[in-house]
Amino acid sequence: MRVASFFAGIGGFDLGFQQAGHTVAFHCEIDEFCNRILARHWPGIPQVRDIKEIAHGDEVPTAEIWCGGFPCQDVSLARGGPRPGLRGHRTGLFYEFARLIGEALPPVIVLENVPGLLSSHGGSDFGIVLKTLGDLGYAVGWRMLDSRYFGVPQSRRRLYVVGYHRDPARVEQVLLEPECSSGNTQTGKLAGSPAVSPFKESVGNPLTGPVVQRIGYCLAATSGRHTGTDWSRTYVSYPDAVRRLTPTEAERLQGFPDGWTIPSGIDAEELEQLDSPRYFALGNAVSVPTARWLAERILAVGLDGTVTQTPVAQSVAAAG
């Protein structure tokens, strides 16, 4: 299916959907650095910088799937103070997204945001999101997904909302899992043994380094400078030193290929000046493996009453 990507960032949704077999057809992203990354990986794709500049939904190229991780700053618990929620000028851009959705009525929509959206204004903001989409004719479901269970060693819990226009059955097939797996449980401990947090487990050579946490904390949209907390408590240690993650390591924690956030046509001197925007963009990005999981299930469920015979589709069909 074709994908229109809003609040595209550096293309986390886009890459995940493309890896699953979909085609990226449109970008909307306001950040200049992110646009350089998008242009490198998807040259020639129609692009609009500001969602407010799109006068009507029919200006967006035809796409079966519209996705968007709309801004989270006004609902994030990381603010440490009052949260404006949907009244804020950044997270409030949800209304612009909803306006365009209502005008174009794409068959499938996928939204992403931080867990704080669930509690913003006592839950009423999330209620507004659901009611707005429901009033447009979308059957919607939501699920909290953590990147650590999709192949990257980073604990990154995000809220994903999937909507199908007047098609509730497919929402269930995408988000819920009737199939069973053998799981990946650890050997049980003796009764009364204290649990060991995965964030406290380390891997590496303690004599020579490097040593890293088995599971990293959620990457934050920071510059990566060491000012107390903006390493997100994830770091690399050696017997006589400690350092932050490199941009390449941060790319890996988000599921991007090495060098993904390096724009085209730059020299070594300019590259040294790009660490801050690279960290910031990666901290804001959608985790690629999680997006791919959703994209594969959307592809398997299909749109026209049939399903693609992939392992996911077969398990969904077998479950009835």
Side-chain angles (χ1 to χ4, degrees), residues 94-115:
F94 163 76
Y95 292 112
E96 290 292 330
F97 192 26
R99 171 182 65 83
L100 297 174
I101 290 172
E103 292 165 352
L105 297 179
V108 187
I109 55 174
V110 184
L111 283 66
E112 180 260 9
N113 213 288
V114 296

Side-chain angles (χ1 to χ4, degrees), residues 5-14 27-39 41-42 47-49 67-70 256 260-261 280-282 284-286:
S5 179
F6 297 79
F7 316 105
I10 54 174
F13 261 135
D14 312 63
H27 283 137
C28 180
E29 170 56 46
I30 197 168
D31 183 82
E32 181 179 353
F33 176 78
C34 290
N35 277 315
R36 295 174 68 186
I37 304 305
L38 295 175
H41 297 293
W42 289 279
Q47 187 179 81
V48 174
R49 290 182 55 86
C67 63
F70 62 100
F256 289 98
W260 181 267
T261 54
F280 189 86
L282 285 161
N284 272 332
V286 171

